[in-house]
C-alpha cells in the first residue's frame, strides 16, 4: 500500500504542478494584459486549488505510512530525512494555505485587475514554496 500511495503522490505532483503553473501564468497574463476576469479564469484558478489540495491529502496519508515521514522525525541530522519528514510537508502546507487564502480573497474583490493580482501573488508564492521543497533526488 505504501508503494502505491508513494507512486500516486509522485504522479499526481506532475498534474498539480502543471495546474498551478497554468493558474499562475493565466493570472500574470490577465494582470499584465489588463484583461477582464472571466468564468474561464475562475475555472483555471479553481483547478490549481483542487490539484494542490488533492496533492496535500495524498501527501498527508503518505506522511503517516512512510518510513521517511512521521516515524523519522527524530533523525534531523540526515539532510534527506529532514527534507522528507519536516521541510517538505511543512513548507507545502504553508504554500497550500497561501493558495487557499488567494482563492478566498479573490471572491471578495470586484475588479478584474485585483483578482488577477491576488492570484498572481498568492498562487505565485505558493508555487515558489512548493518548488523549493520538492525532494528532487527522490522524485526523478
Amino acid at each position: 500500500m505504501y508503494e502505491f500511495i508513494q507512486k500516486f503522490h509522485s504522479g499526481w505532483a506532475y498534474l498539480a504542478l502543471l495546474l498551478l503553473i497554468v493558474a499562475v501564468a493565466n493570472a500574470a497574463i490577465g494582470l499584465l494584459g489588463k484583461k477582464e476576469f472571466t468564468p474561464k479564469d475562475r475555472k483555471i484558478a479553481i483547478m490549481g486549488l483542487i490539484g494542490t489540495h488533492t496533492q496535500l491529502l495524498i501527501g498527508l496519508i503518505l506522511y503517516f505510512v512512510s518510513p521517511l515521514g512521521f516515524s523519522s522525525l527524530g533523525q534531523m541530522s540526515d539532510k534527506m530525512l529532514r527534507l522528507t519528514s519536516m521541510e517538505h510537508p511543512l513548507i507545502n502546507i504553508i504554500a497550500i494555505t497561501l493558495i487557499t487564502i488567494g482563492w478566498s480573497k479573490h471572491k471578495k474583490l470586484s475588479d478584474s485587475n485585483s483578482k488577477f493580482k491576488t492570484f498572481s501573488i498568492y498562487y505565485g508564492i505558493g508555487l515558489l514554496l512548493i518548488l523549493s521543497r520538492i525532494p528532487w533526488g527522490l522524485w526523478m
Side-chain angles (χ1 to χ4, degrees):
M1 173 131 153
Y2 160 71
E3 286 185 24
F4 172 77
I5 296 171
Q6 182 188 27
K7 300 257 186 251
F8 189 52
H9 182 66
S10 293
W12 189 267
Y14 290 105
L15 179 61
L17 276 174
L18 177 67
L19 292 169
L20 191 55
I21 289 168
V22 168
V24 171
N26 182 64
I29 290 167
L31 180 64
L32 296 173
K34 307 264 189 234
K35 296 184 177 185
E36 192 65 33
F37 192 82
T38 64
K40 180 189 110 204
D41 299 313
R42 183 184 171 283
K43 288 175 187 169
I44 290 171
I46 200 164
M47 292 307 289
L49 179 78
I50 291 169
T52 55
H53 277 133
T54 304
Q55 181 69 353
L56 174 64
L57 180 63
I58 299 163
L60 288 174
I61 293 168
L62 181 63
Y63 185 71
F64 289 104
V65 299
S66 170
L68 299 175
F70 184 71
S71 60
S72 64
L73 267 178
Q75 303 166 352
M76 292 296 115
S77 60
D78 183 350
K79 246 177 129 171
M80 187 53 75
L81 280 176
R82 185 177 61 241
L83 175 65
T84 57
S85 66
M86 181 97 136
E87 294 171 4
H88 176 73
L90 179 64
I91 296 300
N92 286 334
I93 288 170
I94 292 168
I96 294 169
T97 301
L98 287 171
I99 291 166
T100 305
I101 290 169
W103 174 259
S104 296
K105 281 184 161 285
H106 107 276
K107 293 189 279 187
K108 298 176 182 126
L109 301 170
S110 57
D111 66 296
S112 295
N113 194 45
S114 298
K115 289 183 181 205
F116 283 127
K117 185 176 182 182
T118 299
F119 282 129
S120 293
I121 292 170
Y122 284 93
Y123 278 46
I125 293 171
L127 176 61
L128 289 175
L129 287 173
I130 289 169
L131 289 173
S132 76
R133 291 295 151 227
I134 290 176
W136 297 103
L138 295 175
W139 195 32
M140 300 217 155

